Amino acid sequence: MTNATREPEVTAAVAREMGVTEDEFRRICEFIGRTPNYTELGMFAVMWSEHCSYKSSRIHLKTFPTTGARVLKGPGENAGIVSIGDGLAVVFKMESHNHPSFIEPYQGAATGVGGIMRDIFTMGARPIANLNSLSFGAPDHPKTRYLLGGVVAGIGGYGNCMGVPTVGGELRFNPAYNGNILVNAMTVGLVPEEKIFLGQASGVGNPVMYVGSRTGRDGIHGATMASGEFDQQTEEKRPTVQVGDPFTEKLLLEACLEAMKGDHIVGIQDMGAAGLTCSTVEMADRGETGILLDLDRVPLREEGMVPYEMMLSESQERMLLVAQKGHEEALRQIFEKWDLQCAVVGEVTAGDRVVVTHQGQVVVDLPVNPLTSGAPLYDRPRAEPANLRELHDLDLASLDAGGSPADTLVKLLGSPNLCSRRWVWTQYDHHVQTNTVRGPGGDAAVVRIKGTRKALAVTSDVNPRLVALDPEEGAAQAVAEAARNVACVGAAPLAITDCLNFGNPEKPEIMWQFERAVAGIGRACRALGVPVISGNVSLYDETEAKGILPTPTVGLVGLIDDVAHVGRAGFQDEGDHVLLLGEATGSLAGSEWLHVLHGKLGGRIPKVDLEREKALGELLRQGFRDGTLKSAHDVSEGGLAVALAECCLLGSGSGASIKLDPIDRVDSLLFGEAPGRVIVTAAAGAKKLEKAAAKLGIPFRKLGKVGGDSLDWKGLFRLSVATLRDVHEGGLRAITGA
Amino acid sequence: MKFGVVVFPGSNCDHDCYYAASHAAGAEACFLWHKDRDLKGSDVIILPGGFSYGDYLRSGAMARFSPIMEEVIAFANRGGPVIGICNGFQILTESGLLPGALMRNKHLKFLCRDVFLRAEQDAGRTPFTRNVEKGRVLRMPIAHNDGCYFAEPHLLDRLEGEGQVIFRYVNAAGEITEIGNPNGSLHAIAGITNEKRNVVGLMPHPDRCAEELLGNHDGALLFQGVVP
Amino acid sequence: MKAIVTVTLKRGVLDPQGQAVAGGLKSLGFDEVRGVRVGKHIEVELGGDGAQARERVTEMCKKLLANPVIEDFSVRLEGEGA
Amino acid sequence: MKAIVTVTLKRGVLDPQGQAVAGGLKSLGFDEVRGVRVGKHIEVELGGDGAQARERVTEMCKKLLANPVIEDFSVRLEGEGA
Ligand SMILES: Nc1ncnc2c1ncn2[C@@H]1O[C@H](COP(=O)(O)OP(=O)(O)O)[C@@H](O)[C@H]1O
Ligand SMILES: [Mg+2]
């Protein structure tokens, strides 16, 4: 084979520079029966990177339950798909853009949002909702304000321009993320079942077409960067950050959806991580075909680009599609109408090889399989972290209350992790498309589906402190919390996606956390009957050997059959009964109380009863359906007192009077945390609810009544709703400066 | 009665306006492609919100050169009712159909939240405000980066003198306050009309609050007002 | 050839971005900063023979690059002094 | 004294704004336009005696005015040539 452009000679050392180990390099040579050239090696490097190949995580991910009556596509495609009836299906996935966002917060976050939306509309779905789960370092860390401001502006900048409402998400601060922030973006799309498109090549002789933006030298080796641990050299890798162009992506969205109306397209896949390489190889792989690619026809933004750069460029806002032969002109007209590039760049071939030519010469000739399923599969060693026992043994009983209940509530309600996120979500357009029935701020957001009575509830959840203390249990609780959150607006969980953010998998402690967390998600999903339909893994979230808290973010979509029965979180009318479903007392282990008041992480966390969670969900949905329930709000971080305060703030403005005496320590009653708890309100229906709860084995307790202008817990504290509001709304000010 | 909703590259409230026109006002609606010159017999033109041309350079600056805009301008000059919402308002000022300019929000951030508007003119002052009597306070969402209304002092005086200020940002009680003005607009201006009063531009989104299910239908008044 | 267009806000038009930058600089310890104005720097690459380039670019500014309600502009052809 | 800072996107970094403006100019009939790049023009008014102004403003660029990941900058003190 000849090579037109002079490329560096390939050696094991060159391979190592690209992140390919000596062992992997040997395997590559064996697979193809020769030493790859530089471009080919680059393709292997990205395809075999952790980011694209899941080489450390794959064996564990296989244990997820991924099927169900509604599942149309599980993991393995660009995103998962579940049917919601009426001939409609929901497409969703979550993805990380952690490292790029740390280097350039605005563009990193923006292109993360752009990338996940392409994953959704490449399947034929119109994106209808975005969520984002964000983790930053300590509030007072010198970079936090800059990173937070940039990331939030970037997410808004991209999503707002696309006209996709950003309706929910999470925001947390913890020093563990000082050197590695997490930006996990999720998109939910809607597609008619008979209009689903897959990233698959088929039909020998069909043209391969390139549409969207031109290719530049953006983010070359971005995928391998996202898989490598941060070090001092990160600075030098800087040019790998891409700039997003949401305007072009908006055109691409409309053009693709228009093109998909006809019968022009056989298969389509976005060019994300590893660009042209990944899209070509994956489409050939799924379709069990070969692909011939002519680089001379690829629309370029810069002169003098070599095959290596073209194959690895991560320029945004591009798609690769296989067209029905003879439909090239029809497609060209559609993409030109939207002022986008459109070029035939190759064709589907018989056999199993990806062949790439440049200036008339073959520059790549590789079998598809080794690039995909040939990627190494590691069962990395695992070991329980040595300090876990010590964390569990933290003596919670010896810790003092640190102030009056009122003082502590004020402290917690205004603390960085519990205060209002209004500053964030007012920067996101959360109304566009006019479907947002419940916007950000509550337990789950709700978007209705025009033309039906249905609505979707969406949420993302994880409490990394719980995962750190008990990865299996903590991850299971993330699923349980997500399911509970959608139940609080009256929805039944359909399926989840996940984004598993962990440290360096080559460390046995990290791999142990990972494996345990995957097991926990799987257990909870099985118990709740909620399959995993898509997801993403981000490993090596580590800087100079300091890892993040294990953060398996769970994104969940639920279905509401009749939008008339959507629940709300806040207190409604004076005189309504305030009721607690679930145990009264929580635990201080791993709690926000422990974090805020004592700066500690430790203790043994209480276990979730998944059967009871399931029953609780049924109870809530039934209560909203039959009108018994007037509101429901999940009791999570901050415990009962914080949840009650939130009920006051999210509702009509009414306070409440509460009477419930502590059994042991006051802090556990007020600020203790535990799964399976929801504050609900009801008027005349309270009796009926009590009976239903008893039947399901769910603890039921009368806490008090809605009314007045303060939250008054008899004998413990009394704070005006106005004070609570000030404290809650002002919490982020110290971090954002606004 | 037919609404024509213009679709620029980057428009993203085109479907919302179409939906509001057909559902809230019960009227016929159609899309008008920016490269076309045919208004398809529309009786009312809507320039919807969004990010035409990515809002690059200046919001609304490039959209005004679209072929369809020549027809919209001619339609407006003939006295046809035109409403520009958010990005549509920006396009109207850039194209000279409305005076002044819309600049970066005072806090330099995209802002999406509900605001209160006070109707400043008698009902029927414009075709879109037939159902909104003077002094009435409406609640509407905003979602924009560049909504700070600016005009030279002499122009502001003229707008005020001629009764061209249609909506002002106020608080829930209908008073003009610093906090009630979300973007720093001069004279708290949220919406204006031209001298002939057939063209209206406003930053808040009536299209997003035209339905009880979404918790607010104040915006429906504007769509219904223009339908006889 | 290349033309450099500078678009600045008219005197008297409030520049919140400039104010924010000035505030940011001061808080970083640059106490000598008295004020900041932020405008646009637009480089236009032109083909053709460059005759009448200045008039053409001025035309571009009037039509699109600057909004006369709020902005002033100046045009410089590469090779000329500032 | 006044310093003029010009911040431009690095060569090779996508400039969506420039692309859109170039498209706009062409559709207005300015066929000679080959490409457009859009950057920032920042005027910094400085108090004090102006000694070391260049170093100080360069410092400002590095710390706040430019983002070295994707942008280049240049500093010119008023009165100097471009
Ligand atoms: N943690 C996970 N759980 C379930 N499925 C996963 C997980 N991580 C990845 N997947 C699935 O593996 C496939 C490949 O993922 P990915 O490489 O992130 O997609 P993309 O190529 O769009 O970036 C997808 O179908 C994704 O849904
Ligand atoms: Mg993909």
Side-chain angles (χ1 to χ4, degrees), chain A residues 103-104 238 243-245 301-302, chain D residues 12-14 16 19 67-69:
Chain A
I103 295 169
E104 212 307 298
R238 274 181 159 176
V243 169
D245 181 1
R301 198 172 81 225
E302 293 176 64
Chain D
V13 171
L14 177 72
Q19 264 178 18
N67 178 351
V69 181

Side-chain angles (χ1 to χ4, degrees), chain C residues 2-76:
Chain C
K2 204 199 274 182
I4 313 259
V5 174
T6 307
V7 179
T8 49
L9 284 172
K10 277 188 178 166
R11 203 186 282 268
V13 174
L14 204 61
D15 177 11
Q17 203 181 348
Q19 280 174 1
V21 172
L25 288 172
K26 280 183 208 157
S27 76
L28 285 172
F30 296 104
D31 300 317
E32 70 266 46
V33 172
R34 291 285 162 275
V36 174
R37 305 276 292 173
V38 178
K40 283 177 207 141
H41 168 94
I42 307 176
E43 302 179 5
V44 184
E45 194 68 52
L46 300 164
D49 60 0
Q52 302 177 310
R54 173 173 301 280
E55 293 91 277
R56 294 286 286 176
V57 176
T58 304
E59 195 64 26
M60 294 177 200
C61 289
K62 286 189 183 153
K63 274 204 166 156
L64 178 67
L65 300 180
N67 178 348
V69 177
I70 46 172
E71 292 169 330
D72 290 324
F73 66 86
S74 70
V75 176
R76 183 164 61 82

